[in-house]
């Protein structure tokens, strides 16, 4: 009878140790999952920030293109005026 109690006691000890080990493993996995979630959130924020930066860069490029177009138009007008002036001076001589 005492031997049966000792066997039961040993089994219960093993079960308790197993429950404790399982609990520790689950807690460790939960911590790792929390770390992964934090990393993913940080990456999402970085991606969002990069999206804003790309948008701002696109806007800047569009502004430069517009400015270049305007400069080209002004240069074309200036070139036309210079040609007109040169022709006018040539006709006077």
């Amino acid at each position: 009878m005492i031997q049966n109690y000792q066997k039961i006691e040993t089994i219960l000890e093993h079960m308790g140790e197993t429950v404790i080990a399982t609990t520790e493993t689950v807690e460790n996995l939960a911590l790792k999952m929390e770390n992964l979630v934090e990393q993913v959130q940080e990456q999402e924020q970085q991606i969002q920030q990069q999206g804003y930066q790309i948008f701002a860069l696109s806007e800047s490029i569009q502004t430069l293109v517009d400015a270049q177009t305007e400069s080209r138009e002004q240069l074309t007008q200036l070139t036309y005026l210079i040609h007109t002036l040169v022709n006018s001076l040539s006709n006077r001589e």
Side-chain angles (χ1 to χ4, degrees):
M1 191 74 125
I2 292 177
Q3 191 176 13
N4 286 339
Y5 286 129
Q6 289 174 343
K7 286 182 182 179
I8 292 173
E9 185 178 318
T10 301
I11 291 172
L12 289 175
E13 282 180 21
H14 288 315
M15 287 176 64
E17 290 171 358
T18 301
V19 168
I20 291 170
T22 302
T23 302
E24 290 174 354
T25 301
V26 169
E27 287 174 354
N28 287 335
L29 287 174
L31 287 175
K32 289 179 182 179
M33 286 297 294
E34 286 177 19
N35 288 337
L36 286 174
V37 167
E38 288 175 8
Q39 289 175 359
V40 168
Q41 288 174 340
E42 288 176 10
Q43 288 175 351
E44 286 175 354
Q45 290 174 350
Q46 289 174 350
I47 289 170
Q48 186 178 24
Q49 185 64 33
Q50 288 172 349
Y52 292 145
Q53 290 171 346
I54 289 170
F55 179 76
L57 182 60
S58 297
E59 289 293 314
S60 296
I61 289 171
Q62 185 60 49
T63 301
L64 287 173
V65 167
D66 293 343
Q68 182 185 15
T69 300
E70 186 177 332
S71 295
R72 180 182 284 163
E73 290 172 1
Q74 291 174 351
L75 185 58
T76 300
Q77 290 175 0
L78 182 59
T79 302
Y80 175 76
L81 289 174
I82 291 173
H83 280 276
T84 303
L85 182 60
V86 168
N87 286 337
S88 177
L89 291 174
S90 294
N91 289 338
R92 283 190 181 175
E93 294 178 0

